Amino acid sequence: MRFLSLIACLLVAGCNSPAPTTPPAAAAPATGQAPNSAQLFSDYLRTTFRQSLSAKGEHWYVVIPAAGCQGCAHAELHQLATTPWAANVTLVSSGLLRDLTAAERAQLRQRAHLLADTSRRADNTLDRLNLPFASLTGVVRTQNGRVVEFIPFDKNSYQTVFEKLPRSPR
Amino acid sequence: MACQPQTVTLVATDTLRIRKPTDLYPKNSCAVGYSHDSLRGQEHFYFLDRTTNTLLHTQRPAGKPHPAPLELQRINLQHLFNQSPAPIEAMGVFSPDSLIFVAGDAHNLCLTNARGVIRQQWQPRSPIYGREEYFIDTALQPIYTHGSLAYLHCGPDDLGMITADTATFHRFLRYKTGFVVNVRDTNRANNNTGQFPAFLSAKHNFGVMAPQSCVAPNGDYLFTYGPFSEIYRCSLAGERQVVDAPSRHHRPARELPFALWKEYQPLLQYRLSEPEYGPIIHDPYRHRYLRVYRHGMPTAANQAVRPSYADMPWSLMILDEKLRVVGEIDMAPIFDPRLVLPTQRGVLIGNQRPENPSYDPHYLSFQLFTYRAAQGPSS
């Protein structure tokens, strides 16, 4: 992969970072404090998409913002578009979706439930959310409406992490 | 007794609107070009769409009001570098009908007319750095032109591994930052004409940005590093000079530990919270320099939802020919420090950016500023 510039170092750094480890499960929201990551993500879904965390069983939210390594994120989106995912997998993404062709977007919508944070042309809320993902991309696993795990991934580890996601039985 | 420089400010006058494809927004000066045709009295604007390798070109009569939006003409450039899908790295403008493009991955340069017809294509003699691989990298800055010379950045091919280990990083410090080619000398358009100092230095290694640079009227190369106020002046003959030109808002940036370069979160937080000197731009029509200073937002790192870069306060410094600061204007965040373009009529600054909710994707919009002598001291 070619790296075009050294604004660069931002892109470069993320693209070469080692596979991250899974952080401990998020704790319950602390009262009277700034929202923790679980509360932050829950609030984000509610305010941006008017959705609550899925209350039934396990749910997987794949988070791919437009900040960070764009080339890596494109590869991750393409991978997601090639596999039919189970109904309890949701992709949350932002401006990168505009970079896909119409056919790719349609395919992505067929394969996974998609939440598109694209109200602005750049720097949508998802791109600025301080979730515990070193490379800004990751999976939020929830159980009965509560966040139980944040699983970060980057270009080296996304395929391994995607292996964990439930697939459609079709 | 030394002569005190006249303090200068900028005054908003006209606006310029250009109808554009919705997906196009030139985020960096490598994709913006301007040329003034004094014979025909026309201004030419060029935009490089790096996602489709397309040149968008328009012109307007110089010096006359032109309230209607300008229309862009599309010119496909995919033929320049053998249909390579890689984005064209950058563009430079010698004259209204003479442009230069660089393809970083192909190590190629291409000289064309304004319709994209190839006049000359060549590959700088390699390797520039002995046996090391390299690629041409403009660091999202334009290809600067001076007479028949084109100034380019370059770096090693394994730039992507800069953060992989400290040995690679320190090896990287030895590389030169750029080189100069003479487009009239088509047989030996290589790095023999000039070469510039190391891209990073031990002193500057926590500037996460590439050096910002421009070319002086005499062909000297000026460059700056991230949060540092010094401007380094380097002549083609190898002479060096350092001038300190701090912003009146200057504050030292904290160091970013090398280990954190590997992660996006701390890098983003660093870039949002710390101050940084942005582009330095030569204004050939008024014989001045413009220098962007981003003030940083110290509390950005602690916020659950980070602010946008478009929220960051910034100021535009005005420097005279001797690089003395003669003015500094605090700019509203609506203005885009990435789009500062000196033109024959004044300085154009983008005043609609995609981060703003009111952004209209159908137009590029600029505010025109003209210089005016200020009443009081600049700082």
Side-chain angles (χ1 to χ4, degrees):
Chain A
M1 181 182 288
R2 275 251 316 116
F3 299 97
L4 293 177
S5 86
L6 279 179
I7 229 172
C9 286
L10 284 175
L11 292 183
V12 165
C15 289
N16 288 283
S17 50
T21 54
T22 303
T31 53
Q33 301 286 319
N36 66 12
S37 299
Q39 186 68 48
L40 177 64
F41 186 69
S42 173
D43 289 349
Y44 165 71
L45 289 185
R46 192 175 63 253
T47 55
T48 307
F49 304 107
R50 295 182 182 177
Q51 291 206 4
S52 304
L53 293 175
S54 177
K56 290 183 181 176
E58 190 178 53
H59 203 96
W60 306 72
Y61 295 89
V62 183
V63 176
I64 303 182
C69 174
Q70 312 262 309
C72 312
H74 281 137
E76 289 149 11
L77 286 177
H78 284 123
Q79 169 83 14
L80 289 169
T82 59
T83 308
W85 302 103
N88 61 343
V89 174
T90 297
L91 168 63
V92 192
S93 191
S94 60
L96 286 174
L97 297 168
R98 289 200 184 90
D99 298 343
L100 304 179
T101 64
E104 287 172 325
R105 278 197 295 269
Q107 189 181 17
L108 200 54
R109 285 186 187 282
Q110 284 176 353
R111 301 290 168 89
H113 179 224
L114 178 63
L115 295 177
D117 185 353
T118 51
S119 59
R120 300 203 296 188
R121 302 297 290 197
D123 275 1
N124 282 289
T125 308
L126 182 68
D127 307 327
R128 296 179 284 120
L129 217 51
N130 258 334
L131 294 175
F133 299 142
S135 293
L136 306 176
T137 46
V139 172
V140 182
R141 187 165 72 88
T142 68
Q143 187 78 42
N144 300 328
R146 288 176 63 87
V147 173
V148 294
E149 192 176 17
F150 287 98
I151 310 169
F153 61 77
D154 65 6
K155 73 156 190 171
N156 297 314
S157 58
Y158 74 91
Q159 286 172 321
T160 308
V161 172
F162 288 178
E163 290 284 319
K164 298 178 183 177
L165 302 178
R167 302 182 181 217
S168 168
R170 284 182 287 128
Chain B
M1 183 177 168
C3 177
Q4 287 297 312
Q6 169 73 57
T7 56
V8 177
T9 189
L10 291 174
V11 180
T13 57
D14 201 2
T15 56
L16 175 72
R17 294 183 89 205
I18 301 174
R19 199 187 308 275
K20 70 171 184 66
T22 54
D23 289 342
L24 175 76
Y25 187 82
K27 292 179 184 168
N28 296 286
S29 52
C30 68
V32 180
Y34 172 84
S35 186
H36 175 236
D37 184 345
S38 56
L39 283 176
R40 294 179 178 83
Q42 291 175 332
E43 291 185 300
H44 292 258
F45 297 90
Y46 308 88
F47 302 98
L48 175 63
D49 184 348
R50 298 173 71 240
T51 58
T52 59
N53 285 346
T54 304
L55 175 68
L56 298 115
H57 171 222
T58 188
Q59 61 192 54
R60 73 180 294 283
K64 296 178 183 173
H66 196 284
L70 299 176
E71 302 291 336
L72 288 169
Q73 179 189 358
R74 297 177 69 94
I75 298 147
N76 191 327
L77 298 177
Q78 289 177 341
H79 61 286
L80 296 192
F81 301 107
N82 301 320
Q83 308 293 329
S84 167
I88 290 175
E89 192 89 20
M91 167 176 68
V93 181
F94 282 103
S95 69
D97 201 33
S98 182
L99 291 86
I100 186 169
F101 299 92
V102 56
D105 61 336
H107 301 185
N108 274 340
L109 304 172
C110 198
L111 192 68
T112 75
N113 66 12
R115 295 176 303 286
V117 176
I118 296 174
R119 288 182 165 153
Q120 185 67 39
Q121 191 168 24
W122 68 93
Q123 187 170 36
R125 186 179 298 167
S126 64
I128 289 180
Y129 302 118
R131 294 180 180 178
E132 304 282 356
E133 289 291 313
Y134 76 99
F135 67 80
I136 301 164
D137 184 323
T138 66
L140 299 181
Q141 294 171 80
I143 304 171
Y144 301 108
T145 59
H146 179 71
S148 61
L149 301 180
Y151 293 64
L152 300 111
H153 288 250
C154 57
D157 250 353
D158 58 352
L159 178 63
M161 297 303 291
I162 182 173
T163 58
D165 61 77
T166 46
T168 306
F169 177 77
H170 286 290
R171 182 168 57 81
F172 190 71
L173 297 183
R174 299 198 308 269
Y175 288 108
K176 304 296 182 185
T177 189
F179 66 103
V180 181
V181 296
N182 189 335
V183 297
R184 287 194 186 131
D185 190 356
T186 54
N187 291 323
R188 46 188 294 279
N190 56 27
N191 60 319
N192 290 344
T193 316
Q195 202 175 92
F196 295 105
F199 155 73
L200 292 166
S201 73
K203 179 182 174 187
H204 298 113
N205 68 7
F206 65 93
V208 296
M209 287 285 287
Q212 300 290 313
S213 60
C214 72
V215 175
N218 67 350
D220 287 357
Y221 187 62
L222 309 182
F223 58 100
T224 70
Y225 291 96
F228 300 95
S229 57
E230 297 93 344
I231 299 173
Y232 294 79
R233 185 173 196 136
C234 192
S235 75
L236 290 175
E239 296 160 356
R240 308 256 189 103
Q241 183 190 3
V242 184
V243 178
D244 192 20
S247 162
R248 68 174 177 225
H249 300 286
H250 179 89
R251 67 179 169 94
R254 69 182 164 90
E255 187 163 352
L256 182 68
F258 180 67
L260 294 181
W261 286 43
K262 298 181 180 183
E263 310 289 1
Y264 270 102
Q265 285 274 17
L267 274 172
L268 277 175
Q269 290 168 350
Y270 180 87
R271 289 212 59 214
L272 282 166
S273 60
E274 298 306 309
E276 181 179 79
Y277 287 90
I280 181 167
I281 303 150
H282 181 239
D283 180 347
Y285 305 99
R286 265 74 52 180
H287 307 295
R288 299 188 190 281
Y289 297 91
L290 300 165
R291 190 181 194 191
V292 169
Y293 185 67
R294 297 184 179 94
H295 300 181
M297 296 178 284
T299 60
N302 304 323
Q303 298 180 29
V305 179
R306 292 183 296 268
S308 166
Y309 286 120
D311 298 327
M312 188 182 291
W314 66 283
S315 50
L316 188 64
M317 304 163 64
I318 305 169
L319 284 62
D320 68 7
E321 289 174 285
K322 296 178 179 175
L323 300 174
R324 296 177 297 192
V325 180
V326 295
E328 183 167 355
I329 298 97
D330 293 342
M331 305 297 294
I334 187 77
F335 292 106
D336 192 340
R338 301 169 298 184
L339 288 185
V340 179
L341 186 65
T343 71
Q344 186 261 348
R345 292 196 301 153
V347 180
L348 289 173
I349 303 179
N351 64 355
Q352 278 284 334
R353 46 195 303 179
E355 296 90 343
N356 298 125
S358 60
Y359 171 68
D360 183 344
H362 299 99
Y363 295 96
L364 270 178
S365 178
F366 294 89
Q367 177 76 58
L368 180 71
F369 291 86
T370 55
Y371 293 85
R372 189 176 69 188
Q375 309 246 324
S378 63
S379 59

